[in-house]
Amino acid sequence: MPHHICLSFDLEEFDMPLEYGQHIPLHEQLSKANEGVLPLLDILHKHQITATFFITANYANHNKDIVKRIAQSHEVASHGLYHSSFKVQDLLQSRIILAEISGQKVKGFRMARMAAVSNTDVVNAGYTYNSSLNPTYIPGRYNHFFEPRNIHTQEQLTIVPASVSPVIRFPLFWLSFKNVKPVVYNWLCATTLAKDGVLNVYFHPHEFADISSYALPNYTKTPCGKPLLNRLENFINYMKPLGTFTTIEQHLASITN
């Protein structure tokens, strides 16, 4: 069975400044997301890569043309209704909205900020998989070091964890991509792919916009924009010989057939 590389992108309102007490109006949150997602889509098209986009319904309602463009080549999954708030009923509402706009059957869900969410609620809202687990320990954010690293089933729901390295469970998410030297990050991803047969790493389109002027911790915002796009393209070129880029939905179909 070929090794699969699943790139996923959480396409949301750029509300991170709100977490640090900096006001940013909704129109600016959306424009920063668009500033990053458009060149990102161009790079994916250039390399003929399919990816999974976890999109908030709020973003989708304001950017229907972009979501329809994404749906032409990529998987559309749900990132909730809003990025900064959550109610259980948002699970179903966001899935319905995204399905109507994208024309796809929306199967996947990822909670904002990879927060805890009831698997039963996710199943009841009509999803078949949940990719909200980062099976590592990050102080103040995650304490899932002893959760399964690999794809598994809980309460009739397929759980698709974000990739972490074997043994030490070093997280391979967006913060690592920005802050670890590329040669080290690439090696960790290659090692994880070889061990697990699949790599599931996630980023945010707004990272690929210029967010350097916002009052955010440096480790969350640099590099950004064009330098980060270049880093992503180098990562793609490094990983290409090691596996096939695919959506999460396509990977799950390949291991169940």
Side-chain angles (χ1 to χ4, degrees), residues 29-191:
Q29 296 177 36
L30 296 170
S31 68
K32 277 298 170 183
N34 290 343
E35 183 183 327
V37 75
L38 294 176
L40 171 62
L41 289 172
D42 289 341
I43 285 181
L44 296 177
H45 177 74
K46 172 183 174 181
H47 291 276
Q48 294 299 291
I49 285 174
T50 55
T52 300
F53 283 77
F54 292 90
I55 306 174
T56 64
N58 186 38
Y59 173 89
N61 275 329
H62 286 87
N63 297 280
K64 293 181 180 179
D65 289 344
I66 292 177
V67 173
K68 289 176 181 177
R69 175 182 170 185
I70 290 170
Q72 290 175 359
S73 303
H74 307 285
E75 177 188 2
V76 171
S78 173
H79 201 37
L81 187 57
Y82 301 101
H83 194 254
S84 292
S85 65
F86 173 75
K87 298 177 182 177
V88 172
Q89 55 264 39
D90 294 349
L91 290 166
L92 177 59
Q93 188 175 356
S94 65
R95 185 177 65 79
I96 291 172
I97 291 170
L98 289 165
E100 287 178 348
I101 295 172
S102 69
Q104 294 187 13
K105 183 176 181 180
V106 176
K107 299 180 178 180
F109 177 76
R110 176 176 289 157
M111 188 67 171
R113 299 177 177 88
M114 303 289 273
V117 62
S118 164
N119 288 329
T120 299
D121 289 339
V122 175
V123 170
N124 289 341
Y127 299 94
T128 60
Y129 77 83
N130 182 6
S131 187
S132 304
L133 174 64
N134 199 341
T136 188
Y137 173 67
I138 299 176
R141 181 67 77 172
Y142 311 122
N143 187 9
H144 304 308
F145 193 86
F146 296 104
E147 294 290 334
R149 279 197 325 108
N150 303 112
I151 295 172
H152 58 284
T153 301
Q154 290 181 0
E155 303 172 62
Q156 301 180 321
L157 187 68
T158 301
I159 307 300
V160 185
S163 288
V164 297
S165 68
V167 185
I168 64 171
R169 294 186 175 227
F170 188 85
L172 301 174
F173 66 152
W174 64 282
L175 281 175
S176 303
F177 182 67
K178 296 168 86 78
N179 290 284
V180 175
K181 289 185 177 180
V183 64
V184 176
Y185 180 84
N186 293 351
W187 178 81
L188 286 169
C189 286
T191 301

Side-chain angles (χ1 to χ4, degrees), residues 199-216:
L199 183 73
N200 177 26
V201 290
Y202 70 96
F203 316 92
H204 306 89
H206 62 246
E207 299 175 61
F208 302 100
D210 183 1
I211 57 173
S212 59
S213 63
Y214 291 94
L216 304 171

